[in-house]
Amino acid sequence: MKTISSRDNAQYKELVKLAGSQQARRKAGRTLLDGVHLCQSYLQLRGLPEQCVVGESALQNPEVMDIIGQLEAQRAHVLALPDALYNGISQVEHGVGVMFLIATPERVVDAPLSVSAVLLDGVQDPGNVGSILRSAAAAGIKQVYCSAGTAFCWSPKVLRAAMGAHFVLDIFENVDLADLMRNARVPTLATSGYAAQRLYDIDLRQPVAWIFGHEGQGVADDLLSAATHKVVIPHLGQVESLNVAACAAVCFFEQVRQNQT
Amino acid sequence: MKTISSRDNAQYKELVKLAGSQQARRKAGRTLLDGVHLCQSYLQLRGLPEQCVVGESALQNPEVMDIIGQLEAQRAHVLALPDALYNGISQVEHGVGVMFLIATPERVVDAPLSVSAVLLDGVQDPGNVGSILRSAAAAGIKQVYCSAGTAFCWSPKVLRAAMGAHFVLDIFENVDLADLMRNARVPTLATSGYAAQRLYDIDLRQPVAWIFGHEGQGVADDLLSAATHKVVIPHLGQVESLNVAACAAVCFFEQVRQNQT
């Protein structure tokens, strides 16, 4: 285990930059997983990080000790920081001071859609994107495709909201969704408040691709036209629509239900 | 329409206090609905606010003009502020400058549970609470009961996330949920990852009360024991659980589905 105690250390300054700036994370192709749960999930599902960063007082925490024990047994890099320095790079309040520095997985679309998937068209809110990834993973969906206008999936807020779902998903970003849909080998389903067909009347006992859109504007018109099915979740109340992450959860678990009954 | 142009005006200072402090809102029994959509919904569903506050540049906005027209026709109070003053009380970035000051509805439980309802036990995140209210309203559920540890429903963040759902719901806060469940005349259903009975196997063609708990700890043990049914949403993936708002949406719309088929 290495220790840094000066704010002027070049490696520490690099961590500060990554923690504070989306642009720096994108440029470096690296991100930070903050907190015990994300680190445990990564270790279990993806393996070793480039580096583990730990605040000194967290060295007493049994879960952190367990993580560090596993890392050191495999000769991974562990960096200890005084709490004041650690808090300068952590965005989790009252968290346990441990994070992983990892390379951001970058996937390039190289095959047509042929399994169940989620397509996100300009979903803006990191909490919504994270919740959708989490629900997709829980429903057994493996692939997620995001348009350029969707929140960056590997940002700390999305990672926190998804609770480790990233590590069981293949996430493709900056994807031309229209092109993807044109070549898809599975039905493509867009939800719309104006659709005629009810979610519950669609046969979901097959792989399908779900398309969800911007929180305010919904799925873009060209993608809505390109979808093989437009579906509506029936509403009983006077409220106009569901939150996009709630909508996605309802769709994914209707698919689970149909496949289990 | 009245205009205030000084920050030292007593009425303006009162608005600043309400905008900035949960404690002030609770003490005054008043809250602020920020943005065109919330104001329109309130006007349509609940009627006149105590006061409408509008930023000067928003006076040119057709939707705001329409709202003010309706209010002035009914002799409601409209207060115009220079944009700099308006921005001092608004928490919506890039929003249209209109808000309503309203009395916070306070409901006291005076009858046993006998219709479909949502019980929130320590749900912390305002975005989650708002999303749950929105989904409940969309699914035709009319009553919401919150424990003392749940986020305050009439806070600006919850109001924003719920998109007007508040105005079609009866919301009870600081409720003794154990007591409510003891006297309930409908089945009480708590979701738990450890339950044996699948959501899809429960007969939901009757009124039921749904109980959702804290984001980390779930429903408290005593409430879980008191629930007439413990239900699980089947998971297919390696991810341990759903976000609480996603979980609620799946439950509410399974109830909608069963009642429609």
Side-chain angles (χ1 to χ4, degrees), chain B residues 75-94:
Chain B
R75 298 174 186 280
H77 297 285
V78 180
L79 178 65
L81 299 177
D83 289 345
L85 264 65
Y86 186 89
N87 293 336
I89 56 170
S90 176
Q91 289 172 26
V92 178
E93 284 177 66
H94 318 298

Side-chain angles (χ1 to χ4, degrees), chain A residues 189-193 195 197-199 202 210 229-233 251:
Chain A
L189 279 59
T191 54
S192 158
Q197 205 173 8
R198 299 187 328 155
L199 172 67
I202 311 249
W210 298 101
H229 298 70
K230 269 74 91 180
V231 301
V232 65
I233 298 176
C251 292

Side-chain angles (χ1 to χ4, degrees), chain B residues 121-148:
Chain B
D121 169 36
V123 179
Q124 301 282 301
D125 181 77
N128 282 340
V129 173
S131 176
I132 293 172
L133 298 187
R134 189 174 172 190
S135 295
I141 295 171
K142 303 280 187 217
Q143 297 190 348
V144 178
Y145 297 85
C146 304
S147 71

